[in-house]
Amino acid sequence: MAIRIDRNPHPPAQPAPDSLIFGRHFTPHMFMMNHRDGAWQDPWIVPYGPLALDPAAKVLHYAQEIFEGMKAYRNPRDGSVHMFRPDQNIARFNRSAARVCMPAVDPGLFMEALDTLIALDADWVPEVPSSLYIRPTLFGDQPSLGVASSTSYLFYIIIGPVGSYFKNGIKPLRLKAETEFVRSAPGGTGYAKTGGNYAAALLPIKRAQDEGFDQIIWLDAIGRRTVEEMGAMNIAFVYDDYVLTAPLGDTILAGVTRDSIAHLCHDFSIPWVESPPIVATICDDAASGKLKECFACGTAAVVTPVGSITHLGREAVIGGGQEGPVTRRLREALWEIHTGTSGQHREWIHRVPAR
Ligand code: PLP
């Protein structure tokens, strides 16, 4: 299907590079495609702007919605623009779509939509350490209040510049292990990037932040005993001779960053162990010094150190509350790959063709 382009006759001014606020600035164009009568139709790039939705649209009532979060960077050496492992986000998008009963988007067309949109607004891709955030979204828009899957869908992609997560320096996080609320449960939607998972997380995160924590650690829904994720990131624990993280399953979002770090650990001959981390043991090991470091990882922050975990009112400081050498090494190695300046894992870089 050919992608039609309607250029924006009134593109907005670009924000100043030092004024970027996450998720607030968008480029002049967006990609849109409707699913009607059982098929995707009319892939289209249009000026960025509001959507017209019927108040009875399924998504507004039953949250039949999924999204992705990925990034493009400008290579500081040659100015070219590339995405980081977009094939992984596309695959996860379609896994999420299947979980909430929505049609898949053809991966080839998805990639072409990304390439075409980013190439059109390539001037908006900022210099590193800033980047271009990419938000593909899919939802059911049939105007009907029946509790059933929608018969029509809208898929769109919006993009916008974002600043570095570490603008104010690297500050290890102070986390609360959440023992009351859960993010996901076996058989639920935890492995899908569906908006409802994030809505359910808002209250516990707000409460923890009101108590002075930066974020929360999600524990398993059955026993509140093992560590699954941190906020909207995966989490890993660095021992002397291995890195420990939760195994993937239906309660955990399979992070692209997590997978990339598993590969880097392999490259660096650091054993990567996937076994449920027991929160009480993690806290004991932090207190005794056996646990050396902890970090969280995800597209927004890449790799961010964790300074302490509070479980049932007891705070366990990890590695003196400072970023440790393994976290730093992984963060720096991954950052060089993200920005296209590393010789490692060139296969993870998808160059956006210039228009
Ligand atoms: N876990 C959750 C719940 C997330 O929302 C995200 C972010 O997308 C991640 C983990 C990290 O995934 P990724 O590395 O693909 O950004």
Side-chain angles (χ1 to χ4, degrees):
M1 271 191 285
I3 299 175
R4 178 172 154 187
I5 299 177
D6 283 356
R7 283 181 174 273
N8 190 336
H10 306 293
Q14 289 199 28
D18 55 0
S19 71
L20 296 175
I21 302 170
F22 179 83
R24 295 272 186 84
H25 316 281
F26 298 99
T27 71
H29 299 95
M30 62 194 215
F31 174 87
M32 294 180 77
M33 184 164 67
N34 289 107
H35 195 273
R36 301 268 182 267
D37 304 322
W40 288 110
Q41 301 178 356
D42 304 330
W44 214 344
I45 288 176
V46 296
Y48 182 97
L51 305 173
L53 270 191
D54 192 289
K58 296 265 190 192
V59 64
L60 301 177
H61 304 273
Y62 310 123
Q64 195 180 19
E65 186 266 0
I66 59 153
F67 63 98
E68 263 304 325
M70 50 208 283
K71 279 183 173 175
Y73 297 87
R74 184 174 294 287
N75 184 313
R77 296 200 179 134
D78 63 12
S80 64
V81 172
H82 59 265
M83 285 178 267
F84 177 73
R85 306 189 76 185
D87 54 320
Q88 298 296 308
N89 295 88
I90 292 172
R92 188 170 68 190
F93 189 85
N94 281 335
R95 288 198 300 273
S96 300
R99 178 62 183 83
V100 288
C101 219
M102 297 199 287
V105 177
D106 173 74
L109 178 59
F110 200 141
M111 194 72 91
E112 196 187 333
L114 291 168
D115 278 344
T116 312
L117 179 63
I118 296 169
L120 187 64
D121 287 339
D123 288 355
W124 283 67
V125 182
E127 305 287 337
V128 292
S130 297
S131 56
L132 185 84
Y133 187 76
I134 304 165
R135 172 53 63 92
T137 305
L138 166 61
F139 64 83
D141 63 356
Q142 182 196 2
S144 160
L145 297 183
V147 184
S149 191
S150 184
T151 55
S152 61
Y153 300 92
L154 175 65
F155 170 56
Y156 66 86
I157 306 171
I158 52 177
I159 58 178
V162 293
S164 164
Y165 186 86
F166 294 116
K167 263 199 303 269
N168 303 319
I170 292 170
K171 200 174 136 274
L173 301 175
R174 195 167 164 253
L175 305 181
K176 173 188 175 189
E178 175 58 57
T179 48
E180 182 183 355
F181 300 100
V182 293
R183 190 187 86 88
S184 66
T189 56
Y191 71 96
K193 221 164 154 55
T194 181
N197 288 345
Y198 297 80
L202 296 176
L203 177 66
I205 291 175
K206 181 178 183 306
R207 284 199 186 168
Q209 289 175 343
D210 288 347
E211 290 165 25
F213 296 101
D214 295 308
Q215 254 304 347
I216 58 184
I217 285 187
W218 296 112
L219 301 177
D220 73 281
I222 306 292
R224 311 283 201 282
R225 188 170 158 266
T226 65
V227 175
E228 299 207 320
E229 301 205 50
M230 187 221 76
M233 299 172 84
N234 297 115
I235 185 165
F237 302 93
V238 181
Y239 282 86
D240 258 339
D241 46 3
Y242 63 99
V243 173
L244 174 71
T245 195
L248 295 179
D250 61 358
T251 60
I252 292 181
L253 192 85
V256 179
T257 319
R258 174 192 182 279
D259 181 73
S260 307
I261 287 173
H263 279 89
L264 289 184
C265 282
H266 177 80
D267 296 346
F268 297 155
S269 301
I270 304 171
W272 172 262
V273 178
E274 298 192 356
S275 172
I278 297 165
V279 64
T281 309
I282 291 292
C283 292
D284 287 347
D285 291 349
S288 72
K290 204 168 143 201
L291 174 69
K292 302 296 181 203
E293 307 175 30
C294 172
F295 62 84
C297 58
T299 296
V302 188
V303 174
T304 184
V306 172
S308 82
I309 297 175
T310 298
H311 179 230
L312 299 173
R314 168 183 155 219
E315 181 166 22
V317 175
I318 303 168
Q322 303 298 319
E323 181 178 46
V326 174
T327 302
R328 185 175 314 118
R329 185 178 183 199
L330 291 168
R331 180 169 56 74
E332 290 176 354
L334 196 53
W335 178 247
E336 279 189 20
I337 298 173
H338 275 193
T339 57
T341 55
S342 166
Q344 269 184 299
H345 293 291
R346 302 294 305 171
E347 74 281 8
W348 288 348
I349 296 301
H350 172 94
R351 196 152 166 175
V352 175
R355 272 176 67 83

